[in-house]
Amino acid sequence: MGRLAPLSEEPINEENEGYNNNSNPKKCLQSWRNWNWIKTHFSLVLNKKSNLKILLSVLGCPLFPVPVHPNILPLNEVSSSAQYIIQHFRAATGCRKLEGTVKNVFTTGKVTMDVVDELGSAGGSVNLEKGCFVMWQMVPDKWQIELVLGGQKVVAGSNGAIAWRHTPWLGVHAAKGGVRPLRRALQGLDPLAVSSVFCAAQYMGEKEISGMDCFVLKLSAEQKDLVERSDSKAEMIKHAIFGYFSQRSGLLVYLGDSYLTRIQAPGSHPTYWETTMSTKIEDYRIVDGVMIAHAGSSTTLITRFGDNLKAGPSITRLEESWTIDDVAFYVKGLSLDCFIPPQELQRDCSSDDELGWRSHA
């Protein structure tokens, strides 16, 4: 696999607003190499004109911190608390019946997103945006999502070997590191993926959240994966996620994850960015005998701190709520060809020597 452009899960540079679907992809992707771009890229969290881009970049299609584990232990081989909790979840959702029979899933829904000014300021909520999305999945690791918000569209996908994203302002760019599932799919929409990723989780005990007694499971990205997602200017320090499973129903009712990035230009003090996302998952309904979450909401805090910030840490809050309109299993006509990466990405793979991006296995 050639060297590919990194996929950002952070806000996007206002300078690239002029880029569109017909722009030169090499010109878009080359900007990733410029430190001044990276510095401006992160500072846009505080730029109200970039609210739509922040929402689409951070909330639109973030990736889960760990890949899907293909093997699930049978009930009589459960050997840990986490695996016992997951077996309870599988029984509660009825997702066992999907194994070996359902190869793909189709989902449509609506979203509402908003940027809130820095915490402690008097600005309050601004620019509420409404949109919709459509998502296709093919077992076990192929997926694609199209999300439209405020007249802008973000498309992301995975063919099982590489994950990529297309935005109007950057064109096509690829994810660093190995293939990971779409976080949105694990927000109660894909119980098989939930059980696959959390079967290897660490049991953290019990906690009450949103008035429910829950079992807590934790997953963390491995160090080698964090290294693959870093470069000379931006270091990914951690990425962990907690899943909260109701003790009463066995369902996944809450997700909370955070990732910390260290940004430093040569000769300057480092700046740290921590993004935390808390997601409430609710309104489970039966679809073809399987319990699927049909609504939820997320609150994301983006915190910037470091010795070079004289005013102290700054915090911006993003909010999202969503509802699911339709879920269908085994869509006829959905083939592997539907998950082929865009041609622009394939062309850029062949020009790795010129662009100098990190190689991906």
Side-chain angles (χ1 to χ4, degrees), residues 171-185:
V172 179
H173 43 288
K176 287 185 174 183
V179 171
R180 293 171 283 156
L182 193 65
R183 188 188 192 275
R184 189 174 296 277

Side-chain angles (χ1 to χ4, degrees), residues 9-10 28 45 58 62 73 91 99 105 115 126 150 180-181 189 208 232 279-280 282 310 328 338:
E9 297 180 25
E10 297 287 354
C28 298
V45 172
V58 178
L73 288 177
E99 292 182 324
V105 185
V115 176
V126 294
R180 293 171 283 156
L189 296 178
E208 180 179 328
S232 60
T279 301
K280 184 178 181 181
E282 52 193 347
K310 298 180 180 180
C338 300

